[in-house]
mmCIF file of all heavy atoms in Angstrom:
data_model
loop_
_atom_site.group_PDB
_atom_site.id
_atom_site.type_symbol
_atom_site.label_atom_id
_atom_site.label_comp_id
_atom_site.label_asym_id
_atom_site.label_seq_id
_atom_site.Cartn_x
_atom_site.Cartn_y
_atom_site.Cartn_z
ATOM 1 N N PHE A 65 -4.404 51.298 -32.360
ATOM 2 C CA PHE A 65 -3.479 50.298 -32.473
ATOM 3 C C PHE A 65 -4.309 48.991 -32.450
ATOM 4 O O PHE A 65 -5.112 48.869 -31.486
ATOM 5 C CB PHE A 65 -2.473 50.334 -31.356
ATOM 6 C CG PHE A 65 -1.759 51.674 -31.177
ATOM 7 C CD1 PHE A 65 -2.114 52.583 -30.317
ATOM 8 C CD2 PHE A 65 -0.595 51.815 -31.957
ATOM 9 C CE1 PHE A 65 -1.465 53.769 -30.194
ATOM 10 C CE2 PHE A 65 0.136 52.950 -31.863
ATOM 11 C CZ PHE A 65 -0.303 54.103 -31.054
ATOM 12 N N ALA A 66 -4.030 47.978 -33.295
ATOM 13 C CA ALA A 66 -4.754 46.711 -33.253
ATOM 14 C C ALA A 66 -3.946 45.644 -33.738
ATOM 15 O O ALA A 66 -2.915 45.756 -34.456
ATOM 16 C CB ALA A 66 -5.993 46.840 -34.160
ATOM 17 N N GLY A 67 -4.261 44.418 -33.206
ATOM 18 C CA GLY A 67 -3.494 43.293 -33.595
ATOM 19 C C GLY A 67 -2.718 42.605 -32.414
ATOM 20 O O GLY A 67 -2.523 43.240 -31.422
ATOM 21 N N PRO A 68 -2.224 41.453 -32.677
ATOM 22 C CA PRO A 68 -1.496 40.695 -31.556
ATOM 23 C C PRO A 68 0.026 41.057 -31.550
ATOM 24 O O PRO A 68 0.727 40.486 -30.775
ATOM 25 C CB PRO A 68 -1.685 39.239 -31.855
ATOM 26 C CG PRO A 68 -1.888 39.255 -33.411
ATOM 27 C CD PRO A 68 -2.493 40.512 -33.818
ATOM 28 N N GLY A 69 0.425 42.006 -32.413
ATOM 29 C CA GLY A 69 1.926 42.377 -32.514
ATOM 30 C C GLY A 69 2.267 43.498 -31.413
ATOM 31 O O GLY A 69 1.594 43.673 -30.455
ATOM 32 N N GLU A 70 3.302 44.024 -31.922
ATOM 33 C CA GLU A 70 4.048 45.011 -30.956
ATOM 34 C C GLU A 70 4.352 46.197 -31.897
ATOM 35 O O GLU A 70 4.842 46.225 -32.978
ATOM 36 C CB GLU A 70 5.412 44.459 -30.370
ATOM 37 C CG GLU A 70 6.043 45.401 -29.438
ATOM 38 C CD GLU A 70 7.266 44.710 -28.734
ATOM 39 O OE1 GLU A 70 7.371 43.462 -28.930
ATOM 40 O OE2 GLU A 70 7.928 45.427 -27.985
ATOM 41 N N VAL A 71 4.153 47.464 -31.164
ATOM 42 C CA VAL A 71 4.390 48.787 -31.750
ATOM 43 C C VAL A 71 5.302 49.578 -30.882
ATOM 44 O O VAL A 71 5.067 49.522 -29.605
ATOM 45 C CB VAL A 71 2.996 49.539 -31.955
ATOM 46 C CG1 VAL A 71 3.297 50.916 -32.576
ATOM 47 C CG2 VAL A 71 2.077 48.849 -32.865
ATOM 48 N N ARG A 72 6.453 49.976 -31.479
ATOM 49 C CA ARG A 72 7.337 50.936 -30.638
ATOM 50 C C ARG A 72 7.347 52.223 -31.434
ATOM 51 O O ARG A 72 7.663 52.284 -32.652
ATOM 52 C CB ARG A 72 8.749 50.342 -30.707
ATOM 53 C CG ARG A 72 8.765 49.069 -29.761
ATOM 54 C CD ARG A 72 10.238 48.542 -29.668
ATOM 55 N NE ARG A 72 10.291 47.446 -28.875
ATOM 56 C CZ ARG A 72 10.240 47.341 -27.579
ATOM 57 N NH1 ARG A 72 10.163 48.542 -26.838
ATOM 58 N NH2 ARG A 72 10.333 46.291 -26.868
ATOM 59 N N ILE A 73 6.965 53.336 -30.714
ATOM 60 C CA ILE A 73 6.983 54.743 -31.189
ATOM 61 C C ILE A 73 8.260 55.387 -30.448
ATOM 62 O O ILE A 73 8.303 55.304 -29.290
ATOM 63 C CB ILE A 73 5.758 55.450 -30.952
ATOM 64 C CG1 ILE A 73 4.478 54.706 -31.514
ATOM 65 C CG2 ILE A 73 5.762 56.868 -31.584
ATOM 66 C CD1 ILE A 73 4.348 54.559 -33.012
ATOM 67 N N GLY A 74 8.962 56.100 -31.317
ATOM 68 C CA GLY A 74 10.141 56.773 -30.761
ATOM 69 C C GLY A 74 9.774 58.110 -29.956
ATOM 70 O O GLY A 74 8.658 58.376 -29.785
ATOM 71 N N ALA A 75 10.901 58.875 -29.537
ATOM 72 C CA ALA A 75 10.612 60.058 -28.868
ATOM 73 C C ALA A 75 10.262 61.204 -29.708
ATOM 74 O O ALA A 75 10.712 61.177 -30.997
ATOM 75 C CB ALA A 75 11.947 60.310 -28.021
ATOM 76 N N ASP A 76 9.561 62.223 -29.228
ATOM 77 C CA ASP A 76 9.433 63.373 -30.029
ATOM 78 C C ASP A 76 8.646 63.282 -31.283
ATOM 79 O O ASP A 76 8.892 64.011 -32.342
ATOM 80 C CB ASP A 76 10.763 64.191 -30.244
ATOM 81 C CG ASP A 76 11.363 64.416 -28.969
ATOM 82 O OD1 ASP A 76 10.859 65.078 -27.966
ATOM 83 O OD2 ASP A 76 12.628 64.056 -28.761
ATOM 84 N N CYS A 77 7.712 62.257 -31.332
ATOM 85 C CA CYS A 77 7.009 62.059 -32.674
ATOM 86 C C CYS A 77 5.563 62.793 -32.467
ATOM 87 O O CYS A 77 5.233 63.166 -31.313
ATOM 88 C CB CYS A 77 6.743 60.493 -32.697
ATOM 89 S SG CYS A 77 8.189 59.666 -33.156
ATOM 90 N N LEU A 78 4.822 62.818 -33.628
ATOM 91 C CA LEU A 78 3.525 63.339 -33.528
ATOM 92 C C LEU A 78 2.723 62.386 -34.461
ATOM 93 O O LEU A 78 3.060 61.932 -35.531
ATOM 94 C CB LEU A 78 3.455 64.594 -34.288
ATOM 95 C CG LEU A 78 2.023 65.211 -34.512
ATOM 96 C CD1 LEU A 78 1.270 65.404 -33.358
ATOM 97 C CD2 LEU A 78 2.123 66.394 -35.397
ATOM 98 N N LEU A 79 1.683 61.719 -33.679
ATOM 99 C CA LEU A 79 0.698 60.862 -34.415
ATOM 100 C C LEU A 79 -0.616 61.635 -34.410
ATOM 101 O O LEU A 79 -1.143 61.981 -33.284
ATOM 102 C CB LEU A 79 0.588 59.556 -33.650
ATOM 103 C CG LEU A 79 1.675 58.535 -33.863
ATOM 104 C CD1 LEU A 79 3.059 58.924 -33.321
ATOM 105 C CD2 LEU A 79 1.344 57.136 -33.403
ATOM 106 N N ASN A 80 -1.076 61.764 -35.522
ATOM 107 C CA ASN A 80 -2.387 62.513 -35.723
ATOM 108 C C ASN A 80 -3.415 61.728 -36.500
ATOM 109 O O ASN A 80 -3.323 61.384 -37.672
ATOM 110 C CB ASN A 80 -2.051 63.822 -36.514
ATOM 111 C CG ASN A 80 -3.412 64.620 -36.498
ATOM 112 O OD1 ASN A 80 -3.840 65.023 -35.537
ATOM 113 N ND2 ASN A 80 -3.707 65.089 -37.792
ATOM 114 N N ALA A 81 -4.382 61.084 -35.701
ATOM 115 C CA ALA A 81 -5.473 60.161 -36.318
ATOM 116 C C ALA A 81 -4.857 59.092 -37.068
ATOM 117 O O ALA A 81 -5.313 58.635 -38.105
ATOM 118 C CB ALA A 81 -6.354 61.033 -37.116
ATOM 119 N N THR A 82 -3.833 58.419 -36.611
ATOM 120 C CA THR A 82 -3.078 57.391 -37.100
ATOM 121 C C THR A 82 -3.741 55.964 -36.799
ATOM 122 O O THR A 82 -4.197 55.902 -35.573
ATOM 123 C CB THR A 82 -1.637 57.330 -36.689
ATOM 124 O OG1 THR A 82 -1.117 58.631 -37.079
ATOM 125 C CG2 THR A 82 -0.781 56.297 -37.430
ATOM 126 N N TRP A 83 -3.681 55.063 -37.802
ATOM 127 C CA TRP A 83 -4.163 53.675 -37.433
ATOM 128 C C TRP A 83 -3.019 52.651 -37.674
ATOM 129 O O TRP A 83 -2.462 52.706 -38.886
ATOM 130 C CB TRP A 83 -5.286 53.292 -38.216
ATOM 131 C CG TRP A 83 -5.955 51.974 -37.873
ATOM 132 C CD1 TRP A 83 -6.499 51.628 -36.634
ATOM 133 C CD2 TRP A 83 -5.975 50.761 -38.640
ATOM 134 N NE1 TRP A 83 -6.840 50.306 -36.651
ATOM 135 C CE2 TRP A 83 -6.518 49.683 -37.851
ATOM 136 C CE3 TRP A 83 -5.548 50.499 -39.937
ATOM 137 C CZ2 TRP A 83 -6.768 48.529 -38.370
ATOM 138 C CZ3 TRP A 83 -5.876 49.162 -40.446
ATOM 139 C CH2 TRP A 83 -6.410 48.270 -39.672
ATOM 140 N N ILE A 84 -2.650 51.844 -36.686
ATOM 141 C CA ILE A 84 -1.413 50.935 -36.996
ATOM 142 C C ILE A 84 -2.063 49.564 -36.569
ATOM 143 O O ILE A 84 -2.461 49.286 -35.466
ATOM 144 C CB ILE A 84 -0.282 51.207 -35.959
ATOM 145 C CG1 ILE A 84 0.296 52.688 -36.293
ATOM 146 C CG2 ILE A 84 0.711 50.083 -36.041
ATOM 147 C CD1 ILE A 84 1.372 53.133 -35.356
ATOM 148 N N GLY A 85 -2.091 48.753 -37.647
ATOM 149 C CA GLY A 85 -2.434 47.310 -37.505
ATOM 150 C C GLY A 85 -1.207 46.385 -37.468
ATOM 151 O O GLY A 85 -0.382 46.443 -38.443
ATOM 152 N N THR A 86 -0.951 45.523 -36.532
ATOM 153 C CA THR A 86 0.360 44.864 -36.447
ATOM 154 C C THR A 86 0.002 43.332 -35.930
ATOM 155 O O THR A 86 -0.652 43.109 -35.007
ATOM 156 C CB THR A 86 1.185 45.501 -35.546
ATOM 157 O OG1 THR A 86 2.388 44.586 -35.589
ATOM 158 C CG2 THR A 86 0.754 45.558 -34.220
ATOM 159 N N TRP A 87 0.561 42.412 -36.763
ATOM 160 C CA TRP A 87 0.568 40.988 -36.330
ATOM 161 C C TRP A 87 2.044 40.614 -36.122
ATOM 162 O O TRP A 87 2.346 39.605 -35.329
ATOM 163 C CB TRP A 87 0.059 40.100 -37.517
ATOM 164 C CG TRP A 87 -1.354 40.035 -37.569
ATOM 165 C CD1 TRP A 87 -2.111 41.078 -37.951
ATOM 166 C CD2 TRP A 87 -2.231 39.026 -37.226
ATOM 167 N NE1 TRP A 87 -3.481 40.661 -37.909
ATOM 168 C CE2 TRP A 87 -3.582 39.308 -37.429
ATOM 169 C CE3 TRP A 87 -1.911 37.640 -36.789
ATOM 170 C CZ2 TRP A 87 -4.648 38.521 -37.274
ATOM 171 C CZ3 TRP A 87 -3.015 36.867 -36.628
ATOM 172 C CH2 TRP A 87 -4.429 37.296 -36.874
#
Side-chain angles (χ1 to χ4, degrees):
F65 304 94
E70 183 171 353
V71 177
R72 293 189 179 277
I73 308 293
D76 302 304
C77 292
L78 171 64
L79 282 71
N80 190 50
T82 303
W83 187 64
I84 299 176
T86 179
W87 280 69

